[in-house]
Structure formats: structure tokens, C-alpha cells
Amino acid sequence: NKKPLNGERWIGKVNFVEIRSFWHIFRSFDRMWSFYILSLQAMIIVAWNGSGELSSMFEGDVFKKVLSIFITAAIMKLGQAVLDLILSWKARRSMSFFVRLRYVLKAVSAAAWVIVLPVTYAYSWKNPPGFARMIRNWFGNGPSSSSLFILAVVIYLSPNMLSALLFMFPIVRRFLERSHLRVVMLMMWWSQSRLYVGRGMHESSVSLFKYTIFWVLLLVSKLAFSYYVEIRPLVKPTKDIMKVHIGTYQWHEFFPRAKNNIGVVIALWAPIVLIRTLGMLRSRFESLPGAFNNYLIPVEKSEQTKKKGILKATFSRKFDKSTSSKEKEAAKFAQMWNEIISSFREEDLISDREKNLLLVPYGADPDLVDLIQWPPFLLASKIPIALDMAKDSKDKDRELKKRMSTDNYMRCAIRECYLSFKSIINFLVLGEREKKVINDIFTLVDAHIAEGNLTTEFNMSALPSLHEQFVQLIDHLLKNKKEDKDQVVIVLLNMLEVVTRDIMEDEIPTLLDSSHGGTYGKDEGMTPLDQRDTYFGELNFPVPVTPKTEAWKEKIRRLHLLLTEKESAMDVPSNLEARRRISFFSNSLFMDMPPAPKVRNMLSFSVLTPYYSEEVLFSVDHLEKQNEDGVSILFYLQKIFPDEWTNFLERVKCESEEELRANDELEEKLRLWASYRGQTLTKTVRGMMYYRKALELQAFLDMAKDEALMEGYKAAESTIEEHSKSETSLLAQCQAVVDMKFSYVVSCQQYGIHKRSGDARAKDILKLMATYPSLRVAYIDEVEKTSEDKSKKNVRKVYYSALVKAAPPTKTIDSTDPVQRLDQDIYRIKLPGPAILGEGKPENQNHAIIFTRGEGLQTIDMNQDNYLEEAFKMRNLLQEFQKHDGVRYPTILGLREHIFTGSVSSLAWFMSNQETSFVTIGQRLLANPLRVRFHYGHPDVFDRLFHLTRGGVSKASKVINLSEDIFAGFNSTVREGSVTHHEYIQVGKGRDVGLNQISIFEAKIANGNGEQTLSRDIYRLGHRFDFFRMLSCYFTTIGFYFSTLLTVLTVYVFLYGRLYLVLSGLEDGLSTHRAIRDNKPLQIALASQSVVQIGFLMALPMVMEIGLEKGFRVALSDFILMQLQLAPVFFTFSLGTKTHYYGKTLLHGGAEYRATGRSFVVFHAKFADNYRLYSRSHFVKGIELLILLVVYHIFGRSYRSAVVYILITIQIWFMVGTWLFAPFLFNPSGFEWQKIVDDWTDWKKWINNHGGIGVSPDKSWESWWEKEHEHLRYSGIRGIITEIILALRFFIYQYGLVYHLNITNNKSFLVYGVSWLVILLILVLMKAVSAGRRRLSADYQLLFRLVKGFIFITFLSIFITLIVLPHMTLRDVVVCILAFMPTGWGLLLIAQACKPLIQQAGFWGSVQTLARGYEIIMGLLLFTPVAFLAWFPFVSEFQTRMLFNQAFSRGLQISRILGGGGQRKGHHSSSNKE
């Protein structure tokens, strides 16, 4: 009986219809709003009746009144049922019968309860109050019985009691939701319609207990605060106000007989109803290798029983394992640690000197038995200090021993130097008798060391000269030149002389026995050189160079550092980023982390990066291109990262920038250096390929035999070329294992197009594939094919999903060959049509998922980075997928992020701090205990197979899935997945750095949240979660944005309430009554209402996060610094962005992806750009609030205390100032006079340009204005009606203010009518003048000018008459402007909403002219203060200091001077040419 479906027919929605309405917020989270409204009602009843103490709630009558909340609950249930019917009305034909039946029955039962509960309530009173008396009059005055109402309430609450009982036992609830028993299905059908998704989402009892406790404590505190601070203090003033009778009004009052001053009460109550460090690393370095091996090195089977011992065994004195095992552990630690330090050097975070100080010997040294070889930065300056103490040891013997016993690092340094000295001498000297002498000396020294009397037996004052000779010897060994052999002999003889003559008191018997013994020992004269040469004649010098001697060279270098480094290396590494990374890595090893499996046993994973058309690699031209200030990106980077620039020059062995340009290879390195500091694809790819590098090393450590392990990974790498032909070489095996475990796919949507057009980006991507052979690029290829049917010669497009890799360079590639030949297809899959149907990014990810492999999938955005040391922890992280939390396995693993763009400017720093607090503290709390962490476009690792079978990692419907990332989290959760968060691993992330970029980004996020509000996902989560988890879900998704909207709305409601009180004369009337004038509680309540503290509250999570990570002293200083750099201005400004775009999206739609462009913001944004971006979101609203404040200031001044006034309005003044001027404050060179002049010219040109088809909004005001209200065309009738109703608020000013003019003493309604006549007259005159200009100005110019002159004289005479006869004052002129300007704006808004009608009537041109007039006035209002401040040069100086760090500020000042000179030269030369 089903009709066959043809392709054209739309089936329709079945369960849920997305309708644009604010009611979704109530519909999705109805339980929360019901709870809040019922709590408010109960609190007001308790505060109003009885003593106001909470205990009075249980007094007879008060308790009965409190029970009326159940009637309110029933009414709200009915509201919810009706709302469900209305919002699902469009799906009535496609819904199944049972779903329709459920909706109807819900509404009928709710309506029945709305009748039953009030009736039984009315009959529960002996002396019923007003409401109950009215019901009893309707139903007849029967006997009263309270038990009937109680019974009705119990029956009404029985489903809630059942769900509360099930709430305690999540396991039962899970069983019921999954059950297929008829009875259970019927019971569940009533509570929620039966769907595949959203069943069995309950957490374990432990999690449930945790988040329930969290919310109970929070709600108790919140309600207590609301009751004692906001509600109870207002009750007495409200009662006082309601008693006072006011008869005289200052305007025409429509309801003069209204009781209890109800308007004042509403105005009063409305706002209530809405509203760690590197220092630790030094002390913990001893335990670091242990933690390292414990977590990052898999345990051998034979060692699993001894696992507890590893931590101690690696680098401690108490070994409970064999020596070989200890050496292996040390070797493994050294390999990994050194790779990390080398990566720091490659990234130019450290210099060569710092690298040498941080490295640990690669292989274990057989001569240093039982000795720990610490990195030299821990041992630096220990030897020179020990020498200094030893040479005066006669006096300081005790002190030296004490220092050596307490300072472990000093003891290790001394022992290592002595043993290395011994080993080097033994290695160099080959002659038998010399060896005998040397052995005797060492035996003697060892004996004294064992007895502990070395310093007393030997003369230590000669030790510095021995040290000097030894350093000379090491220098020669480092150079290793044959011609230095004689010098080495002399140094060795000198050393022998110092030891035997100066240090040792007794003579060595073997030295006396030797052929030169007699003369050498006794003769004071010098022996001839040729004779003496025979001593140390046989030397192992120069040292032959073999792979084996690499370790020897390293040993020499290390010894040289220990002996010569006199300064303490406390500041190594000096780069802040390097310090942060080492600190985080070291600390993370002490966190709770699953042990690592071997690489061959780990879960395999892929990384996927979606890329559209951002920068791949900066070109040299791009780097050198200067902005108006003469600042290029390269100059900017050199100033922001001065130490990294110096390290880079050292690494490429260049002195200056000019040398880099001389060589193509060096120029390429320069491009890379700059690209690694931007937000480029090259940076992301390098970061992700660290996974491969880390896994290769870990596989080597897993598979290497003892000998290979001792030689080290470095040696294996250096021999790979020799073994490359043989497949069996160890490194080849490691690479094969890694290929199975890791793959990286970059999904470059436009790669095919870029390739055909010869775009530089395609070449750069190809270069990346050649650099990293295992990198794969996926893209959507469009191919034009002619039809196979010969008769039809049409061309159609065929779409393929393609995967390519770099082709092996087998043949020589001719430079004239096109680019296409250099990559090679791996897969090519034909698609049924064009793949991009939604926003682009989701499809870009989803089409490439098929090319990924393995169990895990990490989604990495184009602005992210990774670090080698973090990549080592990836196999630990993947083990989390195998951890069961009692209910389910995790399906998304959340990672923390580090925002690496924080150093760029103060705005970037605020953004980075805000983001850091969200991705650390925020995410941690969401994941545990709240259990509502979703996915936020972060580097989360997905369970790939789980998500592939459930629709991919991002939803791709256009508009509604604008924030596609979070829907992956929603999707995972409603399909019984679980999202966790892990702190021990981090990934870098770039953020937007300029105000305009940040605002566009925040607008996109707010748009996305507006769309989420309408989505079925939020509706299902809101209904299927239990009450407390639903609260968590609300406040961490759309609730944050809705609360922001309410905050701003509160300011409006508060100010319009004041406006009503001031203009109606009620405030004047009330304040003359003593009871109100001296009413302290009222003043306190008003002051507390106004404290909508915005800027400071946003900074609190940051302070907590910085406090936890770096200590609260740092947090406090950072917080103070942020206040000085105007952080509250930034946060208050972003509040306006969020509010505007969230509200606009919910009302009218129009959400769209906004590209922010991830460049460095060192340029100045023009005034017109700022005006276009912020006009509707901030400037219009700011000016509206400004007018409200000014009116309140003028008419409310005479009767209030200054303190209360300041408390009430200072916050709002701050908000107004911020919304109007923050874009100019945070605009680089925003107060520079020349820029201001250019901006004004540009703005005038823009505002006067006519629009038309094809004229872009940034070229003409008209085009921009049309685009600004374009959303109203698609808004639907509801949106337009709402817009018109909202616009009516602008007519209040005129209505109130015309009665306050000196010339109007009459309070009749006619005065208001006359004011409209004046407006009409002005509009008609404007229309006449514009029509006259069109018709007369060309042919009858004189006549037109006479008419204009006549109109002007008439106006002037009327104005003078008004001043003379009814005594109009200057204040009246100001009041007239304040009255009529908002009215004109209100008319404009209504005209825009009714555009089709206005166009038919032929008035659209006039509306446009009026609008342009308003825009010019607004522009002048904003521009004048900025231009005034630009007169003073220090303002610009202050602004640059505030915006950028000091190095850049200084550089910018210098470059301006140079740039100015350059420009002048340019102008001069050009004028000469002319």
C-alpha cells in the first residue's frame, strides 16, 4: 500500500523539525527552566510571607502557598506539550501514527492536570486567598479538604518519583531503554519516543554520584545567593513602593488608575529574573629517567615481575638488577632524551652550546662503571668550583668533603672527570714503561681515595696547573691533527712533571727505575728535547676516525665542557618555549599514564588534516613585502623571536640575512624557518611527522640487540646508507613496522585545481610529499569527460576521490616538465556527484577517511603543531581505548592543547590564556566528573571503526552543522560512546591574533551555537540525559551563549526600566516620599543589580589555570598585567560579538563559515573596515545604551545619592565605551595622525559610492547596507514581526521626552501627535529637496538654490520664534535630538523589515538616503574622539606598547623612522622623473 518514491519527491522529516525559534531553548531543556521558575516562585513566596527566614517555609499558610508551585509546574507541562505540537506541526503527515498519538495524549493529559490541580488546591483552604477564592466561586463553595490536593499532587508526581528511583540505579534504566518487552516498551514510549539513538547513555554509579554532588552543591549555593542577596532585600522596598500612591505623572499616562505602582515593581524585579616551572626539573632530574623508562619503554616479559624496581633501578644507587639491564635502561633513556634535544636544535629553540650542555652520552661508557652521566647543564661549573676549593684544601678540607657528600652532581662530575682522565691517558699512551709509571701513579691515587686522605697526603695547590695542561690536551684531541703530535707529547710530559714534582710528596719507584729515571728524578736541569722525546714516543695519536670513535669524540667534547664551563647553566635552555616544553614533558611523566606496549603490539593510528587553500610555505616575496609602516613579516618574526633567529643563523653558519640570500638552498631554509613560526601547512606536517620519527626510534629500542643498543640509534642511522640495499637491516625493519602502525593523510580539497592552474601551493605540497615520503595527499578531482554516445557531444564533469604520493625520482626530471608528473595516484574512487554539499570542511574530512588506516584517527586542524617529545607518548595514549570505565570503552580521547600564538601581541595573549583555560581546566571538568565533554575541533583521537560505522567524524548539513566538530561529540554520545580527556599529552594550536580576526572567529562560533540550539542533537541530549547531566550539557554548550545574551539583555531591561521611571515621573514621585528616599535596602538592591561584572569574571578561569600550572604568584602578576593591558576591555567587547551573532542566528539565520585568515596581524585596519565589521554588532547598540544613559543622567539627577548612581551606571558606561572604541584601541597604529587622515578619506569615498550589481560591500556603502539586512528576506514572517516589535522600543524616547520640553506644559496625548507631525514635515521636506535636486539642479539651478535658501530661512525663523515666545532653551534642543533621532532609527528598522512593501510604494530611495544620513552621523560620533587623541603623539606610543611586546615595539619605532625616510626618498625621486 506504500506509494513508490520517485527521485524528485521529498519524503519529509519524521521525528524532529528544525524551526528557527528562541523557544527551542525552553523546549530542549524544559526540566531546567521549570526547576528555575519553580525555585523562583517558592523563594518569592517565602520571602513575601512570614519572617523571610527560610525556616518559615514550613509554617502552615506559607507551606500551603509554596505548594502552588505544582500548579505552575502543570501549566509549564502544558506549555511544553503545546510547543511540541506547534514545532512538530510540519512533520504531521510524515510522522508515524503512534508518535502523533503520543503528542496529542501528552497535551490532553497536561491540560487535564491544569484543571485538576488548581481546583483541588482551591478546596484545600479554609479561608482561601484571592486566586483560590475565584476558583471556588466558579465551582461552588463546597467543604474544604486538603488531603484531596495532596493526593492529586502525589498522583501527578508519580512518574517523576519513578524516574527519580531509576535515576539512583542507572543499570536498571539502561536495561529498560534497551529492552524489547511490550510492557517496558509501552512505559518507555510515554516518556520518550522510541529511536535508535539516545538509548542507554547512562554513566556508571560512581560518575553519577560525582556529578550529582557537584550540581547539588552548586545549586544550593546559587539559590542561597539568589535568595539572600537578590530576592529577600527587594521584598520590603517593593511592599513600600506598592503602598505609595502617585497621582501626578510627567507624561501622558495610559493607566493612571493602575494599582500598586505595578510598572515600578516590574522595572525593579525584571533584572533579577534574568540574570609549574623549570626549576623543578633540576631537582627532579634524578627521578626523570626512571619515570621515562617506566612509562615510555615497554616492559620485557622476563622483567614484568620486577616492574616495581625499574623506577629506582635506572639511575639510582640501589640496583636490584644485573648491570647489563641497568646499562640498557640508561642507553634507552639517552637515545630518547638526545632525540628530543636534537629536535629542539633543529627547531632553533636552543643554540649549539645549549645543545651540548643538554645532551646525555648516547652509549654507555665501559670505563665509567657504576657512574651516572648526567647532562652537562646539571654539572656545569661544578669542576671549577671543586678545583677552587681543593687548591686551598689545607684550610677547607672539611668543607670540601661536606660539599661533596651533599652535592650529588658535584661528586658525579669529579668522579666522571677522574675516570675519563684515566681512560684517555691509558688510551693515548702505548709505551710499556710509560704505562707502568702511569699505572703506579693511578694505583697510588686510588689507594688514597679509598682511605679518604687524598687531600692531606697530596699537595693540592698545584691542581689548577694540572687542570690547565689537561684542558690543552683535550683541545688537541678535539682538533685531532697529525702536526700537533709534538705538542701532545710536551703536554703529557708537563702533566707528568706537575704530578710527580708538585703534587706527590714521595717519588714513584718505577719512574726511578726507568732509563731516564735518574736524571728525570734528580737533575734540576732541563733534559735535551731529542732525548726527552723518546719518553711518550709511542702515542695513539691522531686518533683514527671510524664509526666506533664517534663515542670517543663525544666523550672528549663532554669532558671539555665539564672542565671549562665556568658559569652555572641555570638558564639553560634560555628560550621560554623550550623551557615550557621540557617542563611539561618532564612533569607529564609523573602523571597517571598507561604503560607503553611495544611498537609492533600497539594500536595503529592515522592522522587526518583537512586543508583548503591556506599558506603552505611562505614565499620570499611574501616574507619581504612591507606594510604601510615598512614592516615585513620577516622583520616582525626576527623581532618577536630574536633568540631563535640567532640560533638559526648559527645553525646555517651565516652571519647575516644577506648571506642567506646568496644561496638558493639557504633561502629555502629561511622560508622554512619563517613558515615554522606561522600557521602554515608545512608546520603542521612537520609536527605530525614527528609521530613517525618517534615510533622509528621506539621500534629501534624495542628490537635492537644489546650491542646495537649500546652503539645507539645515531650509529644505526649513520649506517643506514650502507645497509639500504639489504632489507634485513635493523632500521629497515623498524621503518616497516612503523609503516604498518602510522599513516598521515592531508586532505587538500583544492589540490587538483591548484595543480592545473600551476599554483605555488600545489608545488609546495609536492615538495612536502617529497620531503616526507610516507605523507599522503587526498583530494577531490574534477575531470571533464565527453559523452560516449557519439550522437550527443555534451561534456559532463566526473568527480573522483583521489589519493596521491610523491613519485620516486627514478628518471631525471626535465625542468620544462609540468608539475603533474611528480605525484602518483594510489587510489582513485569515482563519486556519484560533487562531494561538497555542506560547509566544505566536513566533506573534506569525510571523503578522506576511507584512505586512513588503523584503530585510531587523530583529527588535526591546519593551525596545529606537534612536538617530538609528545609524539613519544602516543602509544601510551592509544592504550586508553582499551580501558573500560565500568560501562563502556572510550570512543574519543581528548588531548590538551598549548596555544603557541600567545607571544605575538597582547590580544593574542588574552586569547591564548582564555583558550588555555578552556582546553585544560574546562575540558578536564567536562570529561570528569561532569561527563559531558564533546569534540571541539581539537586534536582528539577518535575510535576510527566506531565512527566510520556511525556516519564519520563530522556532520555535513549546510548551515545547521556550521560547528561541525561538536556534532561529532554529540553523535558519539547519543550512540553510546564515551569521551575522555587526558592531560599528559599536548599538541600545539594557533589562534587568531588580531581583534578583527578574533571577532570573526567568535562570530562563527556564536553562529554555530545558534544553529546548535535548533538541532535535534541538542534536543535529544536535553531530553535523554538525567537532570544533572542535562544541566552540565546546557551550560557547556548553548547555555554559555544564552547566558551571555541574557547578561546583555539584563543591561537593556535595567536601563529601559530606569527610562520608564524617569520619564513617567514615577522615580521623582517616589523619591519625594521619605519611606523610599531613605530606603537603604532599595539602594543596595539597585547597586547589586547593576553589577553585571563582565571583564573580571571572564579572567577567573585563566587565573585558576595559570595558578595550577605555574603557581599563584605568577597567576596574580599575569592577572594584574592583563588588567594593565586592558583585558577587561577585550572581554567586554567580545561579549557584544557573542550576543549579537547568537541572537541574530536564532532570529533570522544567516550563519555562515567565516574565513579568518591565519596571518600575522601587523597591519592597520582602516576605519571603514572596522565600521563595516562592528557597526551592527557593537556601534549601534553602544550608541543606544549611550542615549539611555544620557537621558537618565539629564532627568534623574536632582534626587539621588551620588554613590548609588555611580554604582548603578559605572559598569554600563564602561561597556558603552568598550563597545564604541575597543576596535580603534586594539588597532595597530590606530592613533597615528597620517593614518587617521587616510582613513577619513577612504571612509568618505566608501560612504558616498553608489552600489549596484557586482559592486562589492567593501567598495560601496550602498552594497554593504543592502547586504547587512539581507537576512530579513529569508527570515520568515515570525522573524519580521519580532524585528518590528523590537524596533518599537525606539519610539519610547519620543513619547517620554516631548512632555519634558519647556515649551510643552500640557500632558495631553495631542502633544505626542504634534511631535509626529513635526517628524512627518521634516521627512516630506527631505523628500522634496532630494526630488528637487534630481529635477531642478541641472536646468533650473538658480531656482533650486532659491528654494533651498527659502527653506533654510523659514527653519531659522521658526527656531528663533520658539526661543523668544515659549522660551525654548538649549536643553530643549538636546532633548529634541534625543527624542527624534531614535524614532528615525526605529522607522528605518521597520522600513528594512517591510522592504517589499516600501519598494512597491516607491519610497525605498528615501529610506536609503535617511539611512546614509544616520551612518554619517554615527561615523562622525566615533571618528571625532579617535582623531582628537591622534593629535597627541604619546597616545600612539602608549598604544603600540600596550599591543605588542617590547622588542617589537622598539623595532617598530625604528622601522617607522627608516620607512618614513624611504618613502620620502621615493616621493622625491618620482617627482624628479615627472
Side-chain angles (χ1 to χ4, degrees), residues 1082-1140:
L1082 176 64
Q1083 293 181 1
I1084 291 164
L1086 287 179
S1088 71
Q1089 265 186 36
S1090 71
V1091 183
V1092 184
Q1093 264 289 19
I1094 305 147
F1096 289 107
L1097 288 183
M1098 295 293 271
L1100 276 181
M1102 294 181 234
V1103 175
M1104 287 307 295
E1105 173 56 28
I1106 298 168
L1108 289 172
E1109 300 257 326
K1110 301 178 184 171
F1112 283 93
R1113 198 178 65 208
V1114 177
L1116 189 66
S1117 64
D1118 274 6
F1119 178 70
I1120 292 165
L1121 198 62
M1122 280 168 76
Q1123 304 310 311
L1124 293 175
Q1125 290 193 324
L1126 307 186
V1129 173
F1130 167 69
F1131 290 122
T1132 308
F1133 187 80
S1134 73
L1135 191 82
T1137 313
K1138 291 179 183 123
T1139 304
H1140 173 77

Side-chain angles (χ1 to χ4, degrees), residues 590-601:
F590 297 93
M591 293 181 190
D592 188 20
M593 193 191 310
K598 292 199 164 189
V599 174
R600 74 168 86 90
N601 300 334

Side-chain angles (χ1 to χ4, degrees), residues 839-966:
E839 296 297 338
K841 184 181 168 186
E843 294 94 332
N844 199 6
Q845 282 182 322
N846 287 339
H847 99 90
I849 281 187
I850 54 165
F851 300 128
T852 59
R853 298 197 305 263
E855 288 96 336
L857 174 66
Q858 187 174 27
T859 50
I860 289 286
D861 278 350
M862 221 289 301
N863 57 345
Q864 295 194 236
D865 188 16
N866 197 15
Y867 313 118
L868 181 66
E869 68 274 18
E870 299 305 310
F872 283 132
K873 293 179 278 193
M874 193 61 184
R875 53 182 181 174
N876 303 71
L877 180 77
L878 291 168
Q879 288 303 97
E880 299 279 357
F881 278 127
Q882 300 182 349
K883 273 191 179 177
H884 196 268
D885 69 349
V887 180
R888 52 180 75 84
Y889 291 102
T891 50
I892 300 179
L893 306 177
L895 274 65
R896 66 177 268 161
E897 289 174 308
H898 164 68
I899 312 301
F900 57 72
T901 45
S903 61
V904 174
S905 68
S906 60
L907 277 181
W909 186 47
F910 304 153
M911 195 69 183
S912 134
N913 279 338
Q914 184 187 14
E915 195 77 7
T916 301
S917 66
F918 173 65
V919 297
T920 49
I921 281 192
Q923 304 277 337
R924 191 183 311 157
L925 180 73
L926 298 191
N928 188 24
L930 300 186
R931 315 294 291 173
V932 289
R933 186 189 185 278
F934 301 113
H935 169 59
Y936 302 91
H938 293 309
D940 295 356
V941 183
F942 288 81
D943 179 335
R944 182 170 161 275
L945 300 177
F946 178 93
H947 286 90
L948 262 180
T949 52
R950 287 162 181 78
V953 295
S954 31
K955 280 197 168 186
S957 302
K958 203 167 179 66
V959 181
I960 191 122
N961 296 137
L962 181 67
S963 302
E964 81 293 329
D965 311 312
I966 198 165

Side-chain angles (χ1 to χ4, degrees), residues 74 237 287 375 390 523 527 548 578 684 715 718 769 846 884 1026 1031 1157 1279 1292:
S287 45
D523 219 4
T527 318
K548 301 277 181 194
T684 307
S718 63
M769 287 195 275
N846 287 339
H884 196 268
D1026 58 63
L1031 284 179
I1292 298 171

